Amino acid sequence: MSLSFYYGEECQHCHVMLPLVDKLIAEGFVIEKFETWHNEDNAEQLIKADRGLCGGVPFMINTDSHQFICGATDEKTLRAWASGEKVD
């Protein structure tokens, strides 16, 4: 399963999500984190991954289930996304 979390260093919504993402990583989920506001390569990767779905960060995508999350969310939704379950 390929899980990616795109965030901006100074993004307030991203800072809400970072501890939740780190919690899932500590539990064994493999989630790649990409800072996009100060890393040009990651910013270009975000554009390709986003494909016009969200247009900003935080952006999370599960490339296996094709589920994505735009913006901040709760832990339950984040867990569903990471597990490949359908998210609204």
Side-chain angles (χ1 to χ4, degrees):
M1 187 174 301
S2 181
L3 306 172
S4 299
F5 171 62
Y6 295 90
Y7 69 98
E9 186 64 38
E10 292 87 9
C11 168
Q12 292 177 341
H13 300 290
C14 300
H15 280 277
V16 169
M17 296 308 303
L18 276 165
L20 296 176
V21 170
D22 288 340
K23 181 177 182 180
L24 293 184
I25 290 170
E27 292 175 8
F29 286 95
V30 179
I31 303 172
E32 292 185 84
K33 298 189 294 186
F34 300 97
E35 198 292 321
T36 61
W37 287 11
H38 299 282
N39 185 307
E40 191 173 309
D41 291 337
N42 289 347
E44 289 177 20
Q45 185 175 329
L46 169 61
I47 292 168
K48 292 176 186 173
D50 182 292
R51 300 179 326 273
L53 296 170
C54 296
V57 292
F59 174 66
M60 291 144 271
I61 188 158
N62 180 328
T63 59
D64 290 341
S65 70
H66 305 289
Q67 296 294 310
F68 63 93
I69 298 172
C70 299
T73 191
D74 58 38
E75 185 175 344
K76 180 180 177 184
T77 302
L78 187 66
R79 283 183 179 283
W81 164 81
S83 297
E85 299 171 20
K86 187 172 192 246
V87 293
D88 297 320

